[in-house]
Amino acid sequence: MEEAYLLNVEGVKKKILHGGRGQLPQLQDGSRITFHFQTLKDDFERTVIDDSREAGIPMEIIVGKMFKLEIWETLLSSMRIGEVAEFWCDAIHTGMYALVSRSMRRIAEGRDPLEGQKHRCGMGNMFDYHSTGYDDLDELQRTPQPLIFIMELFRVEEPSAYKRDTWAMSKEEKLAAVPVLHSEGNRLVLRKEFGQAAAKYQEAVICLRNLQAKEKPWEEDWLKLEKLVTPLVLNYCQCQLELGEYYEVLEHTTELLQKHNDNAKAYFKRAKAHAAVWNEREAREDFLQAAHLDPSLAAAVKKELKQLGERMRKKHVEDRKRYQGLFQSTR
């Protein structure tokens, strides 16, 4: 089809690749748009930067929720359900793409999209990052350039037609959702469904981190949210211990202790993770620190240290036998 300029939008060109059906959807604040997208460089090879189909799930955005790449709402508002269209967008519209892509990639990897983000607006954060963690996105951040978006629109849902994810909620809705998620996680723990429980705790933590990102670190409102985060992180770590994800526990408890070095439970859980991966010295230090900070843990620490000693002795015996066997086989 012939290329057509979108009316009243400078620096955008649209080409319809497959026609849609019905009328243009009427978007309003809170409408959820579901679509697949592919992002390409405007070069000879049309180099692919991102492809939502590779992640296996379509993209979703909520209208009016300050999605960093504002032009996407404009592009999607020009499409009918089922339509596939290619949009060329000038660099004036694509300067934030590196940050958007970074967040989407982190989500696909199961990581917190706000990890490491400073307390500043989106544009401020863009200049704060020395690196996005992805070479191709670093290039886009250094040299903003025109991009091509190929989009396929699946559906548009009114705000009342779906259960909103916590990230799309208002501050009040997020605060109300946290104790519900906490309670659901506790219920799942009692049923020994640790993977699902961990997901509930993680969702609540991310919800609170989103709210914290809008507050000044270590001031009153930030600290109030941090008090809610801490027990959720500890519960999440307990689930990961049950699941055998010991290095996950080491990562999160260490991060927690960097902020709160008097948290006995964090030391105790980190000690158990160290013990599980044979870090004897680190485990002993953390167990003893936990008992020092909270004497009520003394009995549990004594039991854990005894078990650790027995496991290490058994491991040393097995290692000696293994080494002797190797030495004898080489004679």
Side-chain angles (χ1 to χ4, degrees), residues 254-316:
T254 298
E255 181 182 354
L256 185 63
L257 287 166
Q258 287 172 349
K259 297 178 182 176
H260 313 288
N261 61 5
D262 60 347
N263 192 300
K265 291 182 179 178
Y267 279 111
F268 189 82
K269 294 184 192 302
R270 190 172 72 171
K272 288 178 71 69
H274 275 308
V277 296
W278 308 104
N279 296 336
E280 182 181 12
R281 179 180 60 81
E282 293 86 347
R284 289 186 180 278
E285 289 176 356
D286 279 353
F287 276 133
L288 292 173
Q289 183 66 7
H292 172 72
L293 291 170
D294 184 356
S296 69
L297 291 174
V301 165
K302 183 178 180 180
K303 179 180 177 182
E304 291 287 346
L305 288 173
K306 181 180 179 181
Q307 291 177 348
L308 176 61
E310 292 172 352
R311 288 180 67 238
M312 295 307 300
R313 282 191 291 273
K314 183 177 179 180
K315 182 177 185 295
H316 293 327

Short mmCIF file of all heavy atoms in Angstrom, two decimals, residues 254-316:
data_model
loop_
_atom_site.label_atom_id
_atom_site.label_comp_id
_atom_site.label_asym_id
_atom_site.label_seq_id
_atom_site.Cartn_x
_atom_site.Cartn_y
_atom_site.Cartn_z
N THR A 254 21.61 -9.84 51.08
CA THR A 254 22.75 -8.93 51.10
C THR A 254 22.31 -7.50 50.77
O THR A 254 22.73 -6.54 51.42
CB THR A 254 23.83 -9.40 50.10
OG1 THR A 254 24.31 -10.68 50.50
CG2 THR A 254 25.00 -8.41 50.06
N GLU A 255 21.44 -7.37 49.77
CA GLU A 255 20.91 -6.05 49.42
C GLU A 255 20.14 -5.45 50.60
O GLU A 255 20.26 -4.25 50.89
CB GLU A 255 20.01 -6.16 48.20
CG GLU A 255 19.43 -4.83 47.75
CD GLU A 255 18.50 -4.98 46.56
OE1 GLU A 255 18.38 -6.09 46.01
OE2 GLU A 255 17.86 -3.97 46.18
N LEU A 256 19.37 -6.28 51.28
CA LEU A 256 18.60 -5.80 52.42
C LEU A 256 19.53 -5.36 53.56
O LEU A 256 19.31 -4.30 54.18
CB LEU A 256 17.66 -6.92 52.91
CG LEU A 256 16.69 -6.58 54.03
CD1 LEU A 256 15.72 -5.50 53.59
CD2 LEU A 256 15.92 -7.83 54.45
N LEU A 257 20.57 -6.13 53.81
CA LEU A 257 21.48 -5.81 54.91
C LEU A 257 22.34 -4.59 54.62
O LEU A 257 22.84 -3.95 55.55
CB LEU A 257 22.36 -7.02 55.22
CG LEU A 257 21.62 -8.16 55.93
CD1 LEU A 257 22.45 -9.43 55.91
CD2 LEU A 257 21.27 -7.76 57.36
N GLN A 258 22.51 -4.25 53.37
CA GLN A 258 23.23 -3.02 53.03
C GLN A 258 22.45 -1.80 53.49
O GLN A 258 23.04 -0.75 53.79
CB GLN A 258 23.47 -2.96 51.52
CG GLN A 258 24.55 -3.93 51.04
CD GLN A 258 24.65 -4.01 49.54
OE1 GLN A 258 23.78 -3.51 48.81
NE2 GLN A 258 25.70 -4.65 49.05
N LYS A 259 21.14 -1.92 53.56
CA LYS A 259 20.29 -0.82 54.05
C LYS A 259 20.01 -0.95 55.54
O LYS A 259 19.90 0.06 56.25
CB LYS A 259 18.96 -0.81 53.30
CG LYS A 259 19.06 -0.56 51.80
CD LYS A 259 17.66 -0.62 51.19
CE LYS A 259 17.70 -0.43 49.69
NZ LYS A 259 16.36 -0.58 49.07
N HIS A 260 19.85 -2.18 56.00
CA HIS A 260 19.43 -2.43 57.39
C HIS A 260 20.36 -3.49 57.99
O HIS A 260 20.02 -4.68 58.01
CB HIS A 260 17.98 -2.90 57.43
CG HIS A 260 17.04 -2.06 56.59
ND1 HIS A 260 16.67 -0.79 56.95
CD2 HIS A 260 16.44 -2.31 55.41
CE1 HIS A 260 15.85 -0.30 56.03
NE2 HIS A 260 15.72 -1.20 55.08
N ASN A 261 21.52 -3.06 58.49
CA ASN A 261 22.51 -4.02 58.94
C ASN A 261 22.24 -4.56 60.35
O ASN A 261 23.08 -5.24 60.93
CB ASN A 261 23.92 -3.41 58.89
CG ASN A 261 24.06 -2.19 59.79
OD1 ASN A 261 23.14 -1.84 60.53
ND2 ASN A 261 25.21 -1.54 59.72
N ASP A 262 21.06 -4.25 60.89
CA ASP A 262 20.68 -4.77 62.20
C ASP A 262 19.52 -5.76 62.11
O ASP A 262 18.89 -6.07 63.13
CB ASP A 262 20.30 -3.62 63.14
CG ASP A 262 19.13 -2.80 62.60
OD1 ASP A 262 18.77 -2.97 61.41
OD2 ASP A 262 18.57 -2.00 63.38
N ASN A 263 19.26 -6.27 60.92
CA ASN A 263 18.12 -7.18 60.72
C ASN A 263 18.57 -8.61 60.96
O ASN A 263 19.21 -9.24 60.11
CB ASN A 263 17.54 -7.01 59.32
CG ASN A 263 16.20 -7.70 59.17
OD1 ASN A 263 16.08 -8.90 59.35
ND2 ASN A 263 15.17 -6.92 58.86
N ALA A 264 18.23 -9.14 62.13
CA ALA A 264 18.67 -10.48 62.51
C ALA A 264 18.12 -11.56 61.57
O ALA A 264 18.82 -12.52 61.24
CB ALA A 264 18.24 -10.76 63.95
N LYS A 265 16.87 -11.41 61.16
CA LYS A 265 16.27 -12.43 60.30
C LYS A 265 16.96 -12.49 58.95
O LYS A 265 17.10 -13.57 58.35
CB LYS A 265 14.77 -12.14 60.12
CG LYS A 265 13.96 -12.36 61.39
CD LYS A 265 12.48 -12.12 61.14
CE LYS A 265 11.67 -12.37 62.41
NZ LYS A 265 10.22 -12.09 62.20
N ALA A 266 17.40 -11.35 58.45
CA ALA A 266 18.11 -11.34 57.17
C ALA A 266 19.45 -12.06 57.31
O ALA A 266 19.84 -12.83 56.42
CB ALA A 266 18.32 -9.91 56.69
N TYR A 267 20.16 -11.83 58.44
CA TYR A 267 21.41 -12.56 58.67
C TYR A 267 21.15 -14.06 58.75
O TYR A 267 21.92 -14.87 58.21
CB TYR A 267 22.08 -12.08 59.96
CG TYR A 267 22.87 -10.81 59.81
CD1 TYR A 267 22.44 -9.62 60.39
CD2 TYR A 267 24.07 -10.80 59.09
CE1 TYR A 267 23.17 -8.45 60.27
CE2 TYR A 267 24.80 -9.62 58.96
CZ TYR A 267 24.34 -8.45 59.54
OH TYR A 267 25.07 -7.30 59.40
N PHE A 268 20.08 -14.43 59.45
CA PHE A 268 19.78 -15.86 59.64
C PHE A 268 19.49 -16.53 58.30
O PHE A 268 20.00 -17.62 58.02
CB PHE A 268 18.58 -16.00 60.59
CG PHE A 268 18.33 -17.43 61.01
CD1 PHE A 268 19.05 -17.99 62.05
CD2 PHE A 268 17.37 -18.20 60.38
CE1 PHE A 268 18.83 -19.31 62.45
CE2 PHE A 268 17.13 -19.51 60.77
CZ PHE A 268 17.87 -20.07 61.81
N LYS A 269 18.67 -15.89 57.47
CA LYS A 269 18.34 -16.49 56.17
C LYS A 269 19.56 -16.51 55.25
O LYS A 269 19.77 -17.47 54.50
CB LYS A 269 17.18 -15.73 55.53
CG LYS A 269 15.88 -15.87 56.31
CD LYS A 269 14.72 -15.19 55.61
CE LYS A 269 13.52 -15.10 56.54
NZ LYS A 269 13.06 -16.41 57.03
N ARG A 270 20.38 -15.46 55.30
CA ARG A 270 21.59 -15.47 54.48
C ARG A 270 22.54 -16.56 54.96
O ARG A 270 23.20 -17.22 54.14
CB ARG A 270 22.27 -14.10 54.51
CG ARG A 270 23.41 -14.01 53.48
CD ARG A 270 23.95 -12.62 53.36
NE ARG A 270 24.74 -12.21 54.53
CZ ARG A 270 25.46 -11.09 54.58
NH1 ARG A 270 25.47 -10.26 53.54
NH2 ARG A 270 26.15 -10.78 55.66
N ALA A 271 22.61 -16.77 56.27
CA ALA A 271 23.47 -17.83 56.81
C ALA A 271 23.03 -19.20 56.30
O ALA A 271 23.86 -20.03 55.91
CB ALA A 271 23.43 -17.80 58.35
N LYS A 272 21.74 -19.45 56.27
CA LYS A 272 21.23 -20.73 55.77
C LYS A 272 21.57 -20.91 54.29
O LYS A 272 21.90 -22.02 53.84
CB LYS A 272 19.72 -20.83 55.98
CG LYS A 272 19.32 -21.02 57.44
CD LYS A 272 17.82 -21.08 57.62
CE LYS A 272 17.23 -22.35 57.07
NZ LYS A 272 17.62 -23.55 57.84
N ALA A 273 21.51 -19.83 53.53
CA ALA A 273 21.87 -19.92 52.12
C ALA A 273 23.36 -20.19 51.95
O ALA A 273 23.78 -21.01 51.12
CB ALA A 273 21.48 -18.63 51.39
N HIS A 274 24.20 -19.50 52.76
CA HIS A 274 25.64 -19.74 52.72
C HIS A 274 25.94 -21.20 53.08
O HIS A 274 26.77 -21.85 52.42
CB HIS A 274 26.37 -18.83 53.71
CG HIS A 274 26.70 -17.48 53.16
ND1 HIS A 274 27.35 -17.30 51.96
CD2 HIS A 274 26.47 -16.23 53.67
CE1 HIS A 274 27.53 -16.01 51.73
NE2 HIS A 274 27.00 -15.33 52.74
N ALA A 275 25.27 -21.69 54.10
CA ALA A 275 25.51 -23.08 54.52
C ALA A 275 25.14 -24.06 53.41
O ALA A 275 25.83 -25.05 53.19
CB ALA A 275 24.71 -23.37 55.78
N ALA A 276 24.06 -23.76 52.70
CA ALA A 276 23.60 -24.66 51.65
C ALA A 276 24.58 -24.75 50.48
O ALA A 276 24.61 -25.77 49.77
CB ALA A 276 22.23 -24.22 51.14
N VAL A 277 25.35 -23.67 50.26
CA VAL A 277 26.31 -23.68 49.14
C VAL A 277 27.75 -23.83 49.65
O VAL A 277 28.70 -23.48 48.95
CB VAL A 277 26.15 -22.42 48.27
CG1 VAL A 277 24.79 -22.38 47.61
CG2 VAL A 277 26.38 -21.14 49.06
N TRP A 278 27.89 -24.36 50.89
CA TRP A 278 29.18 -24.73 51.45
C TRP A 278 30.09 -23.54 51.77
O TRP A 278 31.31 -23.69 51.84
CB TRP A 278 29.92 -25.72 50.53
CG TRP A 278 29.09 -26.91 50.17
CD1 TRP A 278 28.48 -27.12 48.97
CD2 TRP A 278 28.75 -28.01 51.01
NE1 TRP A 278 27.77 -28.30 49.00
CE2 TRP A 278 27.92 -28.88 50.23
CE3 TRP A 278 29.07 -28.37 52.32
CZ2 TRP A 278 27.40 -30.06 50.74
CZ3 TRP A 278 28.55 -29.56 52.83
CH2 TRP A 278 27.74 -30.39 52.05
N ASN A 279 29.53 -22.37 51.98
CA ASN A 279 30.33 -21.22 52.43
C ASN A 279 30.37 -21.24 53.96
O ASN A 279 29.64 -20.51 54.63
CB ASN A 279 29.72 -19.91 51.93
CG ASN A 279 29.72 -19.80 50.43
OD1 ASN A 279 30.54 -20.44 49.74
ND2 ASN A 279 28.83 -18.99 49.88
N GLU A 280 31.21 -22.09 54.52
CA GLU A 280 31.18 -22.35 55.97
C GLU A 280 31.51 -21.10 56.78
O GLU A 280 30.78 -20.77 57.73
CB GLU A 280 32.17 -23.47 56.32
CG GLU A 280 32.15 -23.81 57.81
CD GLU A 280 33.13 -24.91 58.18
OE1 GLU A 280 33.99 -25.26 57.33
OE2 GLU A 280 33.04 -25.41 59.31
N ARG A 281 32.58 -20.40 56.44
CA ARG A 281 32.97 -19.24 57.24
C ARG A 281 31.89 -18.17 57.23
O ARG A 281 31.52 -17.64 58.29
CB ARG A 281 34.28 -18.67 56.69
CG ARG A 281 34.76 -17.43 57.47
CD ARG A 281 36.07 -16.89 56.89
NE ARG A 281 35.91 -16.49 55.50
CZ ARG A 281 35.39 -15.33 55.10
NH1 ARG A 281 34.94 -14.46 56.00
NH2 ARG A 281 35.31 -15.03 53.82
N GLU A 282 31.36 -17.87 56.03
CA GLU A 282 30.32 -16.85 55.92
C GLU A 282 29.06 -17.26 56.68
O GLU A 282 28.40 -16.43 57.32
CB GLU A 282 29.99 -16.57 54.46
CG GLU A 282 31.11 -15.93 53.67
CD GLU A 282 32.08 -16.93 53.09
OE1 GLU A 282 32.02 -18.11 53.49
OE2 GLU A 282 32.89 -16.53 52.22
N ALA A 283 28.72 -18.55 56.61
CA ALA A 283 27.53 -19.04 57.31
C ALA A 283 27.68 -18.87 58.81
O ALA A 283 26.76 -18.40 59.51
CB ALA A 283 27.27 -20.49 56.95
N ARG A 284 28.84 -19.27 59.34
CA ARG A 284 29.06 -19.16 60.79
C ARG A 284 28.99 -17.70 61.24
O ARG A 284 28.39 -17.37 62.27
CB ARG A 284 30.40 -19.77 61.16
CG ARG A 284 30.44 -21.29 61.04
CD ARG A 284 31.74 -21.89 61.56
NE ARG A 284 31.73 -23.34 61.43
CZ ARG A 284 31.15 -24.16 62.31
NH1 ARG A 284 30.55 -23.65 63.40
NH2 ARG A 284 31.17 -25.46 62.13
N GLU A 285 29.62 -16.81 60.48
CA GLU A 285 29.61 -15.39 60.84
C GLU A 285 28.19 -14.84 60.88
O GLU A 285 27.81 -14.10 61.81
CB GLU A 285 30.46 -14.60 59.85
CG GLU A 285 31.95 -14.84 59.99
CD GLU A 285 32.75 -14.11 58.92
OE1 GLU A 285 32.13 -13.47 58.04
OE2 GLU A 285 34.00 -14.16 58.98
N ASP A 286 27.38 -15.20 59.87
CA ASP A 286 26.01 -14.68 59.82
C ASP A 286 25.14 -15.29 60.91
O ASP A 286 24.29 -14.58 61.50
CB ASP A 286 25.41 -14.95 58.43
CG ASP A 286 25.85 -13.92 57.40
OD1 ASP A 286 26.50 -12.94 57.78
OD2 ASP A 286 25.52 -14.09 56.20
N PHE A 287 25.31 -16.57 61.18
CA PHE A 287 24.53 -17.19 62.26
C PHE A 287 24.84 -16.51 63.59
O PHE A 287 23.93 -16.18 64.37
CB PHE A 287 24.84 -18.68 62.36
CG PHE A 287 24.04 -19.54 61.41
CD1 PHE A 287 24.67 -20.53 60.65
CD2 PHE A 287 22.66 -19.40 61.28
CE1 PHE A 287 23.95 -21.32 59.79
CE2 PHE A 287 21.93 -20.19 60.42
CZ PHE A 287 22.58 -21.16 59.67
N LEU A 288 26.11 -16.29 63.87
CA LEU A 288 26.50 -15.68 65.14
C LEU A 288 26.00 -14.23 65.23
O LEU A 288 25.58 -13.78 66.31
CB LEU A 288 28.02 -15.73 65.30
CG LEU A 288 28.61 -17.14 65.49
CD1 LEU A 288 30.13 -17.10 65.47
CD2 LEU A 288 28.09 -17.76 66.79
N GLN A 289 26.03 -13.52 64.12
CA GLN A 289 25.53 -12.14 64.11
C GLN A 289 24.02 -12.11 64.36
O GLN A 289 23.52 -11.23 65.07
CB GLN A 289 25.86 -11.47 62.78
CG GLN A 289 25.45 -10.01 62.69
CD GLN A 289 26.21 -9.10 63.64
OE1 GLN A 289 27.16 -9.53 64.30
NE2 GLN A 289 25.79 -7.84 63.73
N ALA A 290 23.30 -13.08 63.78
CA ALA A 290 21.85 -13.16 63.99
C ALA A 290 21.54 -13.38 65.46
O ALA A 290 20.65 -12.72 66.03
CB ALA A 290 21.26 -14.28 63.14
N ALA A 291 22.29 -14.28 66.12
CA ALA A 291 22.05 -14.56 67.53
C ALA A 291 22.44 -13.36 68.39
O ALA A 291 21.80 -13.09 69.42
CB ALA A 291 22.85 -15.78 67.96
N HIS A 292 23.47 -12.64 67.99
CA HIS A 292 23.89 -11.44 68.74
C HIS A 292 22.81 -10.36 68.68
O HIS A 292 22.52 -9.71 69.70
CB HIS A 292 25.20 -10.91 68.15
CG HIS A 292 25.62 -9.58 68.71
ND1 HIS A 292 26.10 -9.44 70.00
CD2 HIS A 292 25.61 -8.33 68.16
CE1 HIS A 292 26.37 -8.16 70.21
NE2 HIS A 292 26.08 -7.47 69.12
N LEU A 293 22.21 -10.18 67.51
CA LEU A 293 21.19 -9.14 67.35
C LEU A 293 19.86 -9.54 67.96
O LEU A 293 19.11 -8.68 68.43
CB LEU A 293 21.00 -8.83 65.86
CG LEU A 293 22.18 -8.12 65.17
CD1 LEU A 293 21.96 -8.11 63.65
CD2 LEU A 293 22.32 -6.69 65.69
N ASP A 294 19.57 -10.83 67.96
CA ASP A 294 18.29 -11.31 68.48
C ASP A 294 18.54 -12.57 69.31
O ASP A 294 18.59 -13.68 68.77
CB ASP A 294 17.33 -11.61 67.33
CG ASP A 294 15.94 -12.01 67.82
OD1 ASP A 294 15.75 -12.13 69.05
OD2 ASP A 294 15.04 -12.21 66.97
N PRO A 295 18.71 -12.42 70.63
CA PRO A 295 19.00 -13.57 71.49
C PRO A 295 17.94 -14.68 71.41
O PRO A 295 18.25 -15.84 71.72
CB PRO A 295 19.05 -12.95 72.89
CG PRO A 295 19.44 -11.52 72.65
CD PRO A 295 18.76 -11.15 71.36
N SER A 296 16.73 -14.34 70.99
CA SER A 296 15.70 -15.37 70.90
C SER A 296 16.02 -16.39 69.80
O SER A 296 15.42 -17.47 69.75
CB SER A 296 14.33 -14.73 70.63
OG SER A 296 14.27 -14.18 69.32
N LEU A 297 16.96 -16.04 68.92
CA LEU A 297 17.37 -16.96 67.86
C LEU A 297 18.51 -17.88 68.29
O LEU A 297 18.96 -18.73 67.51
CB LEU A 297 17.81 -16.18 66.61
CG LEU A 297 16.73 -15.42 65.84
CD1 LEU A 297 17.37 -14.58 64.74
CD2 LEU A 297 15.72 -16.39 65.25
N ALA A 298 18.98 -17.72 69.53
CA ALA A 298 20.17 -18.45 69.98
C ALA A 298 20.01 -19.96 69.85
O ALA A 298 20.92 -20.66 69.38
CB ALA A 298 20.51 -18.07 71.42
N ALA A 299 18.86 -20.48 70.25
CA ALA A 299 18.65 -21.93 70.18
C ALA A 299 18.64 -22.42 68.73
O ALA A 299 19.25 -23.45 68.41
CB ALA A 299 17.33 -22.30 70.86
N ALA A 300 17.98 -21.67 67.88
CA ALA A 300 17.93 -22.06 66.46
C ALA A 300 19.33 -21.98 65.84
O ALA A 300 19.72 -22.85 65.05
CB ALA A 300 16.96 -21.16 65.71
N VAL A 301 20.09 -20.95 66.22
CA VAL A 301 21.44 -20.80 65.70
C VAL A 301 22.33 -21.95 66.16
O VAL A 301 23.11 -22.52 65.38
CB VAL A 301 22.04 -19.45 66.13
CG1 VAL A 301 23.56 -19.42 65.92
CG2 VAL A 301 21.38 -18.31 65.35
N LYS A 302 22.22 -22.33 67.43
CA LYS A 302 23.01 -23.45 67.96
C LYS A 302 22.72 -24.72 67.18
O LYS A 302 23.65 -25.47 66.82
CB LYS A 302 22.68 -23.64 69.44
CG LYS A 302 23.51 -24.74 70.11
CD LYS A 302 23.17 -24.82 71.59
CE LYS A 302 24.00 -25.94 72.26
NZ LYS A 302 23.68 -26.04 73.71
N LYS A 303 21.46 -24.97 66.88
CA LYS A 303 21.07 -26.15 66.11
C LYS A 303 21.63 -26.10 64.70
O LYS A 303 22.16 -27.08 64.18
CB LYS A 303 19.54 -26.24 66.07
CG LYS A 303 19.01 -27.42 65.28
CD LYS A 303 17.48 -27.44 65.29
CE LYS A 303 16.95 -28.60 64.44
NZ LYS A 303 15.46 -28.60 64.41
N GLU A 304 21.53 -24.92 64.07
CA GLU A 304 22.02 -24.77 62.69
C GLU A 304 23.54 -24.94 62.64
O GLU A 304 24.08 -25.57 61.71
CB GLU A 304 21.64 -23.39 62.14
CG GLU A 304 20.15 -23.19 61.90
CD GLU A 304 19.64 -23.97 60.69
OE1 GLU A 304 20.47 -24.45 59.88
OE2 GLU A 304 18.41 -24.09 60.56
N LEU A 305 24.26 -24.39 63.64
CA LEU A 305 25.72 -24.52 63.66
C LEU A 305 26.13 -25.98 63.85
O LEU A 305 27.12 -26.44 63.25
CB LEU A 305 26.31 -23.66 64.77
CG LEU A 305 26.28 -22.14 64.52
CD1 LEU A 305 26.74 -21.38 65.76
CD2 LEU A 305 27.16 -21.78 63.32
N LYS A 306 25.39 -26.70 64.66
CA LYS A 306 25.69 -28.13 64.86
C LYS A 306 25.49 -28.89 63.55
O LYS A 306 26.34 -29.70 63.16
CB LYS A 306 24.79 -28.70 65.95
CG LYS A 306 25.05 -30.17 66.24
CD LYS A 306 24.13 -30.69 67.34
CE LYS A 306 24.39 -32.17 67.61
NZ LYS A 306 23.48 -32.71 68.65
N GLN A 307 24.39 -28.63 62.88
CA GLN A 307 24.12 -29.29 61.60
C GLN A 307 25.17 -28.91 60.56
O GLN A 307 25.62 -29.76 59.77
CB GLN A 307 22.73 -28.93 61.10
CG GLN A 307 21.60 -29.51 61.93
CD GLN A 307 20.23 -29.06 61.44
OE1 GLN A 307 20.11 -28.14 60.62
NE2 GLN A 307 19.18 -29.68 61.95
N LEU A 308 25.58 -27.63 60.56
CA LEU A 308 26.59 -27.18 59.62
C LEU A 308 27.91 -27.92 59.87
O LEU A 308 28.57 -28.37 58.92
CB LEU A 308 26.80 -25.67 59.76
CG LEU A 308 27.91 -25.05 58.91
CD1 LEU A 308 27.64 -25.26 57.43
CD2 LEU A 308 28.06 -23.56 59.24
N GLY A 309 28.30 -28.04 61.15
CA GLY A 309 29.54 -28.75 61.47
C GLY A 309 29.50 -30.19 61.01
O GLY A 309 30.47 -30.71 60.45
N GLU A 310 28.36 -30.87 61.22
CA GLU A 310 28.23 -32.26 60.81
C GLU A 310 28.30 -32.39 59.29
O GLU A 310 28.94 -33.31 58.76
CB GLU A 310 26.90 -32.83 61.34
CG GLU A 310 26.87 -32.98 62.85
CD GLU A 310 25.49 -33.34 63.37
OE1 GLU A 310 24.53 -33.32 62.54
OE2 GLU A 310 25.36 -33.63 64.57
N ARG A 311 27.65 -31.48 58.59
CA ARG A 311 27.67 -31.53 57.13
C ARG A 311 29.06 -31.28 56.59
O ARG A 311 29.51 -31.94 55.64
CB ARG A 311 26.70 -30.49 56.55
CG ARG A 311 25.23 -30.83 56.73
CD ARG A 311 24.34 -29.76 56.12
NE ARG A 311 24.48 -29.73 54.68
CZ ARG A 311 24.85 -28.65 53.98
NH1 ARG A 311 25.14 -27.52 54.61
NH2 ARG A 311 24.95 -28.70 52.67
N MET A 312 29.78 -30.31 57.18
CA MET A 312 31.12 -30.00 56.70
C MET A 312 32.08 -31.15 56.98
O MET A 312 32.94 -31.48 56.15
CB MET A 312 31.63 -28.72 57.36
CG MET A 312 30.84 -27.46 56.99
SD MET A 312 30.66 -27.18 55.21
CE MET A 312 32.37 -27.05 54.69
N ARG A 313 31.96 -31.80 58.18
CA ARG A 313 32.82 -32.95 58.47
C ARG A 313 32.57 -34.08 57.49
O ARG A 313 33.50 -34.71 56.98
CB ARG A 313 32.58 -33.43 59.91
CG ARG A 313 33.27 -32.56 60.96
CD ARG A 313 33.24 -33.22 62.32
NE ARG A 313 31.88 -33.28 62.87
CZ ARG A 313 31.33 -32.29 63.57
NH1 ARG A 313 32.01 -31.17 63.80
NH2 ARG A 313 30.11 -32.43 64.04
N LYS A 314 31.29 -34.33 57.21
CA LYS A 314 30.95 -35.38 56.25
C LYS A 314 31.49 -35.06 54.87
O LYS A 314 32.02 -35.93 54.16
CB LYS A 314 29.42 -35.53 56.20
CG LYS A 314 28.95 -36.66 55.28
CD LYS A 314 27.43 -36.79 55.33
CE LYS A 314 26.96 -37.91 54.40
NZ LYS A 314 25.48 -38.05 54.43
N LYS A 315 31.41 -33.79 54.49
CA LYS A 315 31.92 -33.38 53.18
C LYS A 315 33.44 -33.55 53.11
O LYS A 315 33.97 -34.01 52.09
CB LYS A 315 31.56 -31.92 52.91
CG LYS A 315 32.00 -31.40 51.54
CD LYS A 315 31.54 -29.97 51.31
CE LYS A 315 31.88 -29.49 49.92
NZ LYS A 315 33.35 -29.41 49.70
N HIS A 316 34.15 -33.20 54.19
CA HIS A 316 35.59 -33.33 54.20
C HIS A 316 36.00 -34.79 54.06
O HIS A 316 36.97 -35.12 53.35
CB HIS A 316 36.19 -32.75 55.49
CG HIS A 316 36.04 -31.26 55.60
ND1 HIS A 316 36.06 -30.44 54.49
CD2 HIS A 316 35.85 -30.45 56.69
CE1 HIS A 316 35.91 -29.19 54.88
NE2 HIS A 316 35.77 -29.17 56.21
#
